[in-house]
mmCIF file of all heavy atoms in Angstrom:
data_model
loop_
_atom_site.group_PDB
_atom_site.id
_atom_site.type_symbol
_atom_site.label_atom_id
_atom_site.label_comp_id
_atom_site.label_asym_id
_atom_site.label_seq_id
_atom_site.Cartn_x
_atom_site.Cartn_y
_atom_site.Cartn_z
ATOM 1 N N ASN A 825 11.912 -8.144 -8.677
ATOM 2 C CA ASN A 825 10.794 -7.494 -7.990
ATOM 3 C C ASN A 825 11.151 -6.988 -6.598
ATOM 4 O O ASN A 825 10.458 -6.139 -6.054
ATOM 5 C CB ASN A 825 9.607 -8.451 -7.897
ATOM 6 C CG ASN A 825 9.065 -8.812 -9.271
ATOM 7 O OD1 ASN A 825 9.117 -7.997 -10.191
ATOM 8 N ND2 ASN A 825 8.579 -10.026 -9.436
ATOM 9 N N PHE A 826 12.199 -7.516 -6.000
ATOM 10 C CA PHE A 826 12.618 -7.083 -4.674
ATOM 11 C C PHE A 826 13.973 -6.398 -4.724
ATOM 12 O O PHE A 826 14.164 -5.333 -4.128
ATOM 13 C CB PHE A 826 12.665 -8.287 -3.729
ATOM 14 C CG PHE A 826 13.063 -7.942 -2.322
ATOM 15 C CD1 PHE A 826 12.137 -7.453 -1.420
ATOM 16 C CD2 PHE A 826 14.374 -8.102 -1.909
ATOM 17 C CE1 PHE A 826 12.513 -7.122 -0.126
ATOM 18 C CE2 PHE A 826 14.757 -7.778 -0.615
ATOM 19 C CZ PHE A 826 13.819 -7.282 0.280
ATOM 20 N N GLY A 827 14.892 -6.999 -5.471
ATOM 21 C CA GLY A 827 16.252 -6.463 -5.520
ATOM 22 C C GLY A 827 16.319 -5.049 -6.048
ATOM 23 O O GLY A 827 16.946 -4.167 -5.441
ATOM 24 N N PHE A 828 15.665 -4.790 -7.202
ATOM 25 C CA PHE A 828 15.728 -3.437 -7.753
ATOM 26 C C PHE A 828 14.999 -2.452 -6.852
ATOM 27 O O PHE A 828 15.435 -1.300 -6.706
ATOM 28 C CB PHE A 828 15.138 -3.378 -9.157
ATOM 29 C CG PHE A 828 15.123 -1.972 -9.706
ATOM 30 C CD1 PHE A 828 16.301 -1.405 -10.194
ATOM 31 C CD2 PHE A 828 13.979 -1.195 -9.690
ATOM 32 C CE1 PHE A 828 16.320 -0.096 -10.666
ATOM 33 C CE2 PHE A 828 13.992 0.104 -10.159
ATOM 34 C CZ PHE A 828 15.165 0.654 -10.654
ATOM 35 N N ALA A 829 13.872 -2.885 -6.244
ATOM 36 C CA ALA A 829 13.154 -1.992 -5.332
ATOM 37 C C ALA A 829 14.072 -1.533 -4.199
ATOM 38 O O ALA A 829 14.051 -0.363 -3.797
ATOM 39 C CB ALA A 829 11.924 -2.700 -4.770
ATOM 40 N N SER A 830 14.889 -2.459 -3.685
ATOM 41 C CA SER A 830 15.848 -2.099 -2.629
ATOM 42 C C SER A 830 16.844 -1.068 -3.134
ATOM 43 O O SER A 830 17.145 -0.072 -2.449
ATOM 44 C CB SER A 830 16.598 -3.346 -2.155
ATOM 45 O OG SER A 830 15.722 -4.297 -1.612
ATOM 46 N N THR A 831 17.350 -1.296 -4.353
ATOM 47 C CA THR A 831 18.309 -0.355 -4.939
ATOM 48 C C THR A 831 17.681 1.023 -5.104
ATOM 49 O O THR A 831 18.311 2.053 -4.788
ATOM 50 C CB THR A 831 18.789 -0.879 -6.302
ATOM 51 O OG1 THR A 831 19.409 -2.151 -6.129
ATOM 52 C CG2 THR A 831 19.763 0.093 -6.951
ATOM 53 N N LEU A 832 16.460 1.067 -5.594
ATOM 54 C CA LEU A 832 15.763 2.337 -5.805
ATOM 55 C C LEU A 832 15.605 3.098 -4.494
ATOM 56 O O LEU A 832 15.937 4.293 -4.403
ATOM 57 C CB LEU A 832 14.390 2.075 -6.438
ATOM 58 C CG LEU A 832 13.460 3.278 -6.564
ATOM 59 C CD1 LEU A 832 14.031 4.294 -7.550
ATOM 60 C CD2 LEU A 832 12.063 2.828 -7.009
ATOM 61 N N LEU A 833 15.102 2.427 -3.465
ATOM 62 C CA LEU A 833 14.847 3.098 -2.190
ATOM 63 C C LEU A 833 16.150 3.520 -1.515
ATOM 64 O O LEU A 833 16.222 4.599 -0.904
ATOM 65 C CB LEU A 833 14.037 2.185 -1.273
ATOM 66 C CG LEU A 833 12.639 1.809 -1.787
ATOM 67 C CD1 LEU A 833 11.920 0.899 -0.793
ATOM 68 C CD2 LEU A 833 11.793 3.042 -2.081
ATOM 69 N N ASN A 834 17.164 2.692 -1.626
ATOM 70 C CA ASN A 834 18.461 3.069 -1.040
ATOM 71 C C ASN A 834 19.049 4.287 -1.741
ATOM 72 O O ASN A 834 19.707 5.129 -1.104
ATOM 73 C CB ASN A 834 19.438 1.892 -1.116
ATOM 74 C CG ASN A 834 19.116 0.810 -0.104
ATOM 75 O OD1 ASN A 834 18.534 1.084 0.951
ATOM 76 N ND2 ASN A 834 19.491 -0.421 -0.413
ATOM 77 N N THR A 835 18.815 4.391 -3.034
ATOM 78 C CA THR A 835 19.330 5.548 -3.777
ATOM 79 C C THR A 835 18.581 6.815 -3.372
ATOM 80 O O THR A 835 19.191 7.886 -3.233
ATOM 81 C CB THR A 835 19.224 5.310 -5.292
ATOM 82 O OG1 THR A 835 19.829 4.061 -5.634
ATOM 83 C CG2 THR A 835 19.914 6.426 -6.065
ATOM 84 N N LEU A 836 17.286 6.711 -3.170
ATOM 85 C CA LEU A 836 16.525 7.861 -2.673
ATOM 86 C C LEU A 836 17.024 8.285 -1.299
ATOM 87 O O LEU A 836 17.199 9.484 -1.015
ATOM 88 C CB LEU A 836 15.032 7.523 -2.627
ATOM 89 C CG LEU A 836 14.309 7.403 -3.968
ATOM 90 C CD1 LEU A 836 12.926 6.786 -3.783
ATOM 91 C CD2 LEU A 836 14.179 8.768 -4.646
ATOM 92 N N LYS A 837 17.274 7.300 -0.436
ATOM 93 C CA LYS A 837 17.788 7.610 0.908
ATOM 94 C C LYS A 837 19.168 8.261 0.828
ATOM 95 O O LYS A 837 19.491 9.170 1.607
ATOM 96 C CB LYS A 837 17.853 6.336 1.756
ATOM 97 C CG LYS A 837 16.506 5.880 2.282
ATOM 98 C CD LYS A 837 16.621 4.813 3.350
ATOM 99 C CE LYS A 837 16.918 3.459 2.768
ATOM 100 N NZ LYS A 837 16.854 2.388 3.808
ATOM 101 N N LYS A 838 19.973 7.810 -0.101
ATOM 102 C CA LYS A 838 21.322 8.350 -0.281
ATOM 103 C C LYS A 838 21.296 9.861 -0.492
ATOM 104 O O LYS A 838 22.182 10.593 -0.015
ATOM 105 C CB LYS A 838 21.968 7.653 -1.476
ATOM 106 C CG LYS A 838 23.336 8.160 -1.876
ATOM 107 C CD LYS A 838 23.838 7.366 -3.082
ATOM 108 C CE LYS A 838 25.155 7.902 -3.609
ATOM 109 N NZ LYS A 838 25.629 7.120 -4.800
ATOM 110 N N TYR A 839 20.255 10.335 -1.185
ATOM 111 C CA TYR A 839 20.157 11.764 -1.477
ATOM 112 C C TYR A 839 19.144 12.477 -0.584
ATOM 113 O O TYR A 839 18.824 13.643 -0.814
ATOM 114 C CB TYR A 839 19.812 11.971 -2.951
ATOM 115 C CG TYR A 839 20.932 11.530 -3.865
ATOM 116 C CD1 TYR A 839 20.904 10.288 -4.487
ATOM 117 C CD2 TYR A 839 22.050 12.339 -4.050
ATOM 118 C CE1 TYR A 839 21.949 9.867 -5.296
ATOM 119 C CE2 TYR A 839 23.100 11.926 -4.865
ATOM 120 C CZ TYR A 839 23.044 10.688 -5.479
ATOM 121 O OH TYR A 839 24.094 10.275 -6.269
ATOM 122 N N GLY A 840 18.664 11.776 0.424
ATOM 123 C CA GLY A 840 17.731 12.390 1.362
ATOM 124 C C GLY A 840 16.437 12.824 0.708
ATOM 125 O O GLY A 840 15.780 13.770 1.155
ATOM 126 N N ASN A 841 16.051 12.133 -0.351
ATOM 127 C CA ASN A 841 14.850 12.496 -1.112
ATOM 128 C C ASN A 841 13.662 11.700 -0.578
ATOM 129 O O ASN A 841 13.592 10.481 -0.744
ATOM 130 C CB ASN A 841 15.053 12.216 -2.594
ATOM 131 C CG ASN A 841 13.925 12.767 -3.453
ATOM 132 O OD1 ASN A 841 12.851 13.091 -2.955
ATOM 133 N ND2 ASN A 841 14.166 12.878 -4.755
ATOM 134 N N THR A 842 12.739 12.370 0.072
ATOM 135 C CA THR A 842 11.557 11.701 0.648
ATOM 136 C C THR A 842 10.293 12.009 -0.156
ATOM 137 O O THR A 842 9.198 12.118 0.395
ATOM 138 C CB THR A 842 11.355 12.119 2.108
ATOM 139 O OG1 THR A 842 11.240 13.550 2.186
ATOM 140 C CG2 THR A 842 12.506 11.647 2.977
ATOM 141 N N CYS A 843 10.447 12.145 -1.476
ATOM 142 C CA CYS A 843 9.275 12.376 -2.330
ATOM 143 C C CYS A 843 8.367 11.151 -2.298
ATOM 144 O O CYS A 843 8.797 10.049 -1.935
ATOM 145 C CB CYS A 843 9.715 12.680 -3.753
ATOM 146 S SG CYS A 843 10.387 11.249 -4.649
ATOM 147 N N PRO A 844 7.087 11.290 -2.700
ATOM 148 C CA PRO A 844 6.182 10.131 -2.758
ATOM 149 C C PRO A 844 6.700 9.071 -3.736
ATOM 150 O O PRO A 844 7.265 9.403 -4.782
ATOM 151 C CB PRO A 844 4.865 10.731 -3.240
ATOM 152 C CG PRO A 844 4.949 12.181 -2.906
ATOM 153 C CD PRO A 844 6.399 12.540 -3.044
ATOM 154 N N VAL A 845 6.503 7.809 -3.369
ATOM 155 C CA VAL A 845 6.946 6.693 -4.202
ATOM 156 C C VAL A 845 5.799 5.712 -4.372
ATOM 157 O O VAL A 845 5.190 5.284 -3.388
ATOM 158 C CB VAL A 845 8.151 5.962 -3.586
ATOM 159 C CG1 VAL A 845 8.676 4.907 -4.562
ATOM 160 C CG2 VAL A 845 9.251 6.927 -3.213
ATOM 161 N N MET A 846 5.504 5.370 -5.625
ATOM 162 C CA MET A 846 4.452 4.405 -5.928
ATOM 163 C C MET A 846 5.086 3.061 -6.265
ATOM 164 O O MET A 846 6.096 2.994 -6.974
ATOM 165 C CB MET A 846 3.606 4.920 -7.108
ATOM 166 C CG MET A 846 2.573 3.944 -7.626
ATOM 167 S SD MET A 846 3.280 2.904 -8.940
ATOM 168 C CE MET A 846 1.868 1.855 -9.299
ATOM 169 N N PHE A 847 4.495 1.982 -5.753
ATOM 170 C CA PHE A 847 4.992 0.629 -6.024
ATOM 171 C C PHE A 847 3.905 -0.172 -6.725
ATOM 172 O O PHE A 847 2.776 -0.286 -6.239
ATOM 173 C CB PHE A 847 5.392 -0.067 -4.727
ATOM 174 C CG PHE A 847 5.867 -1.484 -4.919
ATOM 175 C CD1 PHE A 847 6.997 -1.758 -5.675
ATOM 176 C CD2 PHE A 847 5.188 -2.552 -4.350
ATOM 177 C CE1 PHE A 847 7.439 -3.066 -5.854
ATOM 178 C CE2 PHE A 847 5.617 -3.860 -4.520
ATOM 179 C CZ PHE A 847 6.755 -4.116 -5.275
ATOM 180 N N SER A 848 4.269 -0.727 -7.867
ATOM 181 C CA SER A 848 3.336 -1.546 -8.646
ATOM 182 C C SER A 848 3.413 -2.991 -8.174
ATOM 183 O O SER A 848 4.345 -3.714 -8.506
ATOM 184 C CB SER A 848 3.699 -1.454 -10.137
ATOM 185 O OG SER A 848 2.933 -2.359 -10.897
ATOM 186 N N SER A 849 2.406 -3.393 -7.405
ATOM 187 C CA SER A 849 2.325 -4.768 -6.927
ATOM 188 C C SER A 849 1.221 -5.493 -7.693
ATOM 189 O O SER A 849 0.737 -5.006 -8.716
ATOM 190 C CB SER A 849 2.066 -4.793 -5.414
ATOM 191 O OG SER A 849 2.147 -6.121 -4.919
ATOM 192 N N SER A 850 0.834 -6.638 -7.196
ATOM 193 C CA SER A 850 -0.138 -7.482 -7.890
ATOM 194 C C SER A 850 -1.106 -8.096 -6.895
ATOM 195 O O SER A 850 -0.759 -8.315 -5.725
ATOM 196 C CB SER A 850 0.592 -8.589 -8.656
ATOM 197 O OG SER A 850 -0.291 -9.619 -9.051
ATOM 198 N N ILE A 851 -2.303 -8.384 -7.370
ATOM 199 C CA ILE A 851 -3.277 -9.086 -6.537
ATOM 200 C C ILE A 851 -2.720 -10.427 -6.082
ATOM 201 O O ILE A 851 -3.149 -10.981 -5.058
ATOM 202 C CB ILE A 851 -4.613 -9.259 -7.308
ATOM 203 C CG1 ILE A 851 -5.737 -9.703 -6.378
ATOM 204 C CG2 ILE A 851 -4.444 -10.213 -8.477
ATOM 205 C CD1 ILE A 851 -6.091 -8.691 -5.317
ATOM 206 N N GLN A 852 -1.740 -10.943 -6.813
ATOM 207 C CA GLN A 852 -1.134 -12.209 -6.422
ATOM 208 C C GLN A 852 -0.399 -12.105 -5.088
ATOM 209 O O GLN A 852 -0.144 -13.118 -4.422
ATOM 210 C CB GLN A 852 -0.185 -12.714 -7.508
ATOM 211 C CG GLN A 852 -0.877 -13.091 -8.807
ATOM 212 C CD GLN A 852 0.035 -13.818 -9.774
ATOM 213 O OE1 GLN A 852 0.847 -14.638 -9.353
ATOM 214 N NE2 GLN A 852 -0.107 -13.523 -11.066
ATOM 215 N N ALA A 853 -0.076 -10.879 -4.664
ATOM 216 C CA ALA A 853 0.615 -10.690 -3.388
ATOM 217 C C ALA A 853 -0.280 -11.034 -2.197
ATOM 218 O O ALA A 853 0.213 -11.151 -1.066
ATOM 219 C CB ALA A 853 1.112 -9.251 -3.268
ATOM 220 N N THR A 854 -1.576 -11.225 -2.422
ATOM 221 C CA THR A 854 -2.460 -11.675 -1.333
ATOM 222 C C THR A 854 -2.134 -13.107 -0.921
ATOM 223 O O THR A 854 -2.447 -13.521 0.205
ATOM 224 C CB THR A 854 -3.933 -11.607 -1.763
ATOM 225 O OG1 THR A 854 -4.127 -12.431 -2.933
ATOM 226 C CG2 THR A 854 -4.362 -10.171 -2.067
ATOM 227 N N LEU A 855 -1.550 -13.875 -1.861
ATOM 228 C CA LEU A 855 -1.221 -15.300 -1.625
ATOM 229 C C LEU A 855 -2.455 -16.088 -1.192
ATOM 230 O O LEU A 855 -2.381 -16.994 -0.360
ATOM 231 C CB LEU A 855 -0.103 -15.435 -0.582
ATOM 232 C CG LEU A 855 1.217 -14.733 -0.914
ATOM 233 C CD1 LEU A 855 2.232 -14.986 0.190
ATOM 234 C CD2 LEU A 855 1.763 -15.188 -2.261
ATOM 235 N N ILE A 856 -3.592 -15.730 -1.800
ATOM 236 C CA ILE A 856 -4.863 -16.383 -1.477
ATOM 237 C C ILE A 856 -5.310 -17.232 -2.660
ATOM 238 O O ILE A 856 -5.134 -16.856 -3.821
ATOM 239 C CB ILE A 856 -5.944 -15.329 -1.133
ATOM 240 C CG1 ILE A 856 -5.590 -14.639 0.192
ATOM 241 C CG2 ILE A 856 -7.332 -15.962 -1.037
ATOM 242 C CD1 ILE A 856 -6.525 -13.490 0.534
ATOM 243 N N GLY A 857 -5.922 -18.382 -2.363
ATOM 244 C CA GLY A 857 -6.487 -19.238 -3.399
ATOM 245 C C GLY A 857 -5.436 -19.709 -4.383
ATOM 246 O O GLY A 857 -4.398 -20.244 -3.998
ATOM 247 N N ARG A 858 -5.697 -19.496 -5.669
ATOM 248 C CA ARG A 858 -4.781 -19.981 -6.702
ATOM 249 C C ARG A 858 -3.433 -19.266 -6.663
ATOM 250 O O ARG A 858 -2.486 -19.685 -7.332
ATOM 251 C CB ARG A 858 -5.415 -19.838 -8.088
ATOM 252 C CG ARG A 858 -5.672 -18.413 -8.551
ATOM 253 C CD ARG A 858 -6.334 -18.434 -9.922
ATOM 254 N NE ARG A 858 -6.558 -17.132 -10.504
ATOM 255 C CZ ARG A 858 -7.615 -16.375 -10.262
ATOM 256 N NH1 ARG A 858 -8.561 -16.811 -9.413
ATOM 257 N NH2 ARG A 858 -7.761 -15.196 -10.850
ATOM 258 N N TYR A 859 -3.352 -18.174 -5.895
ATOM 259 C CA TYR A 859 -2.095 -17.452 -5.776
ATOM 260 C C TYR A 859 -1.278 -17.891 -4.561
ATOM 261 O O TYR A 859 -0.220 -17.333 -4.289
ATOM 262 C CB TYR A 859 -2.357 -15.942 -5.666
ATOM 263 C CG TYR A 859 -3.181 -15.373 -6.797
ATOM 264 C CD1 TYR A 859 -4.280 -14.559 -6.545
ATOM 265 C CD2 TYR A 859 -2.876 -15.655 -8.132
ATOM 266 C CE1 TYR A 859 -5.042 -14.025 -7.571
ATOM 267 C CE2 TYR A 859 -3.632 -15.134 -9.167
ATOM 268 C CZ TYR A 859 -4.721 -14.318 -8.885
ATOM 269 O OH TYR A 859 -5.473 -13.792 -9.893
ATOM 270 N N GLY A 860 -1.754 -18.887 -3.832
ATOM 271 C CA GLY A 860 -1.134 -19.284 -2.569
ATOM 272 C C GLY A 860 0.326 -19.658 -2.686
ATOM 273 O O GLY A 860 1.117 -19.401 -1.775
ATOM 274 N N GLN A 861 0.718 -20.287 -3.780
ATOM 275 C CA GLN A 861 2.101 -20.728 -3.963
ATOM 276 C C GLN A 861 2.820 -19.930 -5.053
ATOM 277 O O GLN A 861 3.822 -20.382 -5.609
ATOM 278 C CB GLN A 861 2.121 -22.225 -4.308
ATOM 279 C CG GLN A 861 1.500 -23.123 -3.253
ATOM 280 C CD GLN A 861 2.188 -22.962 -1.911
ATOM 281 O OE1 GLN A 861 3.418 -22.924 -1.824
ATOM 282 N NE2 GLN A 861 1.390 -22.843 -0.843
ATOM 283 N N SER A 862 2.313 -18.745 -5.347
ATOM 284 C CA SER A 862 2.879 -17.938 -6.430
ATOM 285 C C SER A 862 4.209 -17.315 -6.011
ATOM 286 O O SER A 862 4.264 -16.478 -5.105
ATOM 287 C CB SER A 862 1.895 -16.828 -6.828
ATOM 288 O OG SER A 862 2.512 -15.867 -7.663
ATOM 289 N N ASP A 863 5.288 -17.719 -6.682
ATOM 290 C CA ASP A 863 6.590 -17.095 -6.410
ATOM 291 C C ASP A 863 6.568 -15.621 -6.797
ATOM 292 O O ASP A 863 7.207 -14.782 -6.139
ATOM 293 C CB ASP A 863 7.693 -17.821 -7.180
ATOM 294 C CG ASP A 863 7.971 -19.203 -6.614
ATOM 295 O OD1 ASP A 863 7.893 -19.366 -5.378
ATOM 296 O OD2 ASP A 863 8.257 -20.128 -7.401
ATOM 297 N N TYR A 864 5.849 -15.326 -7.861
ATOM 298 C CA TYR A 864 5.699 -13.926 -8.266
ATOM 299 C C TYR A 864 4.992 -13.144 -7.166
ATOM 300 O O TYR A 864 5.427 -12.048 -6.772
ATOM 301 C CB TYR A 864 4.908 -13.858 -9.572
ATOM 302 C CG TYR A 864 4.567 -12.462 -10.036
ATOM 303 C CD1 TYR A 864 5.561 -11.608 -10.486
ATOM 304 C CD2 TYR A 864 3.249 -12.015 -10.041
ATOM 305 C CE1 TYR A 864 5.257 -10.326 -10.929
ATOM 306 C CE2 TYR A 864 2.935 -10.745 -10.490
ATOM 307 C CZ TYR A 864 3.939 -9.902 -10.925
ATOM 308 O OH TYR A 864 3.632 -8.634 -11.354
#
């Protein structure tokens, strides 16, 4: 979830491509309530 995202963005930077990029995250990224200790 982090490693490939880094590879993707670095590859875009490599070619100077600043097109729009969408990232699929999750409500679990709030780390609130039952998601507080979610490694995901």
Side-chain angles (χ1 to χ4, degrees):
N825 296 328
F826 181 82
F828 177 77
S830 299
T831 300
L832 173 66
L833 297 180
N834 286 333
T835 308
L836 289 168
K837 283 193 283 187
K838 176 180 175 181
Y839 293 99
N841 189 344
T842 57
C843 71
V845 186
M846 174 270 178
F847 178 62
S848 173
S849 187
S850 165
I851 193 64
Q852 294 190 39
T854 58
L855 302 181
I856 292 174
R858 65 181 183 275
Y859 305 131
Q861 300 302 315
S862 168
D863 289 324
Y864 174 69

